Amino acid sequence: MHFSPQQAILTLGDPFYDPVAPADFPQTILRFRNDRAAATVGLETLTDAQWIAHFGRFQPFEGSLPRPLALRYHGHQFRSYNPDIGDGRGFLFAQMRDEAGRLMDFGTKGSGQTPYSRFGDGRLTLKGGVREILATEMLQALGVNTSKSFSLIETGEALHRGDEPSPTRSAVLVRLSHSHVRIGVFQRLAYEKDAESMRALVAYVLANLHGSEGGPVELLQGAITRCADLAASYMVAGFVHGVLNTDNINITGESFDYGPWRFTPEWDPGFTAAYFDHAGLYSFGRQPEALYWNVMQLAAALRLVSDEAPLIAALDSFPDAYETALTAAMLRRLGLAPTPLANPAALVLAIDGTLRETKMPIDRFFFESFGGNAPEGPAFDEIRRLIADFVPARTRDHPYWSDAQPCSMHIEEVEAIWSAIDERDDWGPLHDKVAAIRRMGEALA
């Protein structure tokens, strides 16, 4: 396809963002370019020099945004409201259409200070960029609606951080996302009682992102459905985002912004990703609750321009939407389709209970069970009985299913991949892992 630049965000006007200048980095060393994602927006033919000019020096794309924009937003951070945040080390760099006609955004991480940086340096560690690549690639392969790590460029600055050995290497990351708008954007407008801007934002999201018409209730219902699906796909992937604050929840329900993420090795509801999540607010098993709470905050913000009763009625649909999405996500990862005799809800409950009891590694369970199988042993008898009423939706013909081990992404491997880069500047393990993840994605697709 041809690159299709857009400027839709400019219709919202000055109350929503601040024009900013990108940092002038001492170096721009290209470390990762996602040509698979680039092909979806018509940019796969860029030379490396052109790539660096756009994604390391932020040369504008003709017909897209003339200057980067730092979006204004508020947010609940671990359920405490914070009106002093916004795009603090990133910005909206460009907009375009993808091959499906969707409006897409290039957002950055580590691109320099903005009016919302507070005491931060506006930078990103190279390790943080590598971790985001691994998270997004794995989640995409497992069927999670996620932003794409589009570009990673090392920038040649020595950064000091309290949670890793310092000084450490720096980078700038570019994400390809279906929207840079978060729930926190709505919260800021409600906080400031700016009804006119809220109506403009609702219209923008419905017209450009949800592809629908209507008003605040339709917007909320779309967000509920998408966030319920996201919660379900996190669970089936065994993924823990770690920081599900309202400023980290995209209005399109697309997962993004990966900091302390982890994949839980076992089906452990209490497993947490962030060392600072002492209460387990965003633990593995509480992620559906967290996303439900976040759409409640969206509903609260929308009361500025809507009657309350229909918003409450829409919120009541979240539990059923989540259960439906969880069943669909579970069957996708199992490669199964139901027959008239099948009981999908019972199968989901049996898998949940059995994995909790047996502590079988999540990835091993789905690897052995794909296409209508189940692990050996009496603990899995109930799962085998229930699976017999389903039919395979996909085959095990791909060579991946002959591997000795499933493709996983646990913290030990993440650290080993980073150590190769940090100690030997060896990028081979990262690129090999991305290739292995994409191979698994082909087998699951």
Side-chain angles (χ1 to χ4, degrees):
M1 66 169 292
H2 295 293
F3 183 63
S4 175
Q6 303 291 313
Q7 299 181 331
I9 195 74
L10 298 181
T11 63
L12 287 176
D14 294 341
F16 290 88
Y17 44 70
D18 294 272
V20 294
D24 184 11
F25 299 115
Q27 290 181 301
T28 48
I29 306 169
L30 180 57
R31 295 303 192 183
F32 177 80
R33 57 176 284 171
N34 191 338
D35 283 315
R36 180 174 69 173
T40 67
V41 292
L43 291 177
E44 74 277 15
T45 60
L46 290 178
T47 66
D48 282 356
Q50 291 170 325
W51 191 281
I52 289 170
H54 289 300
F55 304 119
R57 298 299 179 190
F58 297 101
Q59 174 184 314
F61 287 101
E62 184 177 354
S64 190
L65 305 182
R67 294 185 63 186
L69 303 174
L71 266 62
R72 303 173 183 175
Y73 50 84
H74 293 177
H76 279 91
Q77 299 182 309
F78 285 83
R79 305 234 171 135
S80 294
Y81 194 77
N82 187 349
D84 297 318
I85 53 178
D87 277 338
R89 58 172 172 167
F91 49 61
L92 177 58
F93 167 54
Q95 292 189 301
M96 72 239 72
R97 297 281 175 189
D98 71 359
E99 58 190 357
R102 299 184 305 165
L103 180 67
M104 305 295 289
D105 291 351
F106 278 140
T108 65
K109 190 174 184 178
S111 50
Q113 291 179 312
T114 77
Y116 309 103
S117 299
R118 291 176 288 172
F119 302 107
D121 60 14
R123 277 23 179 208
L124 171 69
T125 66
L126 184 62
K127 182 178 183 180
V130 168
R131 283 174 49 83
E132 184 136 344
I133 291 169
L134 292 170
T136 55
E137 289 286 337
M138 192 70 177
L139 289 173
Q140 184 179 0
L142 292 173
V144 176
N145 180 22
T146 178
S147 62
K148 311 302 185 292
S149 295
F150 198 84
S151 171
L152 184 68
I153 292 176
E154 189 168 359
T155 53
E157 296 176 311
L159 303 182
H160 291 266
R161 295 291 187 267
D163 56 354
E164 61 180 282
S166 298
T168 190
R169 294 154 72 175
S170 58
V172 62
L173 177 82
V174 176
R175 303 183 180 108
L176 178 65
S177 300
H178 184 37
S179 176
H180 195 65
V181 175
R182 310 136 193 266
I183 288 176
V185 178
F186 293 84
Q187 290 183 286
R188 183 184 72 86
L189 298 176
Y191 181 89
E192 297 181 352
K193 297 181 173 56
D194 187 349
E196 180 181 355
S197 293
M198 182 74 84
R199 292 188 187 95
L201 182 60
V202 169
Y204 173 88
V205 170
L206 288 171
N208 293 291
L209 302 174
H210 286 186
S212 63
E213 298 178 350
V217 177
E218 287 76 14
L219 183 146
L220 177 63
Q221 189 63 65
I224 288 168
T225 301
R226 290 166 173 83
C227 286
D229 184 74
L230 179 62
S233 63
Y234 276 172
M235 298 303 291
V236 174
F239 180 72
V240 186
H241 183 282
V243 191
L244 291 175
N245 297 329
T246 56
D247 57 302
N248 287 340
I249 306 301
N250 194 322
I251 196 62
T252 62
E254 181 185 80
S255 179
F256 80 109
D257 202 6
Y258 301 101
W261 65 268
R262 297 273 290 272
F263 283 89
T264 176
E266 300 169 351
W267 197 271
D268 176 5
F271 183 90
T272 57
Y275 68 87
F276 46 82
D277 187 4
H278 304 295
L281 181 64
Y282 298 142
S283 63
F284 175 57
R286 295 184 68 182
Q287 290 180 120
E289 170 200 334
L291 283 157
Y292 191 11
W293 192 89
N294 284 330
V295 293
M296 288 180 184
Q297 308 321 302
L298 175 61
L302 290 171
R303 288 183 302 175
L304 182 67
V305 293
S306 173
D307 292 337
E308 187 174 88
L311 297 173
I312 294 173
L315 286 172
D316 289 342
S317 69
F318 187 96
D320 287 344
Y322 171 71
E323 293 300 329
T324 298
L326 182 65
T327 300
M330 191 73 78
L331 293 183
R332 279 198 305 271
R333 192 162 186 193
L334 289 168
L336 296 176
T339 69
L341 297 176
N343 189 337
L347 178 60
V348 170
L349 285 173
I351 290 171
D352 176 82
T354 303
L355 290 183
R356 290 191 197 209
E357 179 183 348
T358 63
K359 306 296 184 184
M360 184 176 193
I362 293 173
D363 296 323
R364 168 56 66 181
F365 170 78
F366 285 111
F367 185 76
E368 293 187 15
S369 302
F370 187 85
N373 303 298
E376 296 296 326
F380 297 93
D381 285 348
E382 177 69 2
I383 292 176
R384 274 193 295 274
R385 183 185 70 79
L386 292 165
I387 280 180
D389 291 328
F390 294 77
V391 295
R394 284 162 287 174
T395 68
R396 296 178 67 98
D397 293 341
H398 194 281
Y400 170 74
W401 300 112
S402 298
D403 291 355
Q405 298 292 334
C407 181
S408 299
M409 180 55 65
H410 297 143
I411 190 62
E412 297 81 9
E413 187 171 10
V414 175
E415 292 297 329
I417 290 170
W418 169 245
S419 293
I421 295 168
D422 186 39
E423 297 169 7
R424 305 183 300 278
D425 208 32
D426 181 2
W427 291 79
L430 172 65
H431 293 295
D432 290 347
K433 187 62 181 183
V434 169
I437 292 169
R438 293 183 178 185
R439 178 173 172 267
M440 177 187 68
E442 293 170 359
L444 291 169

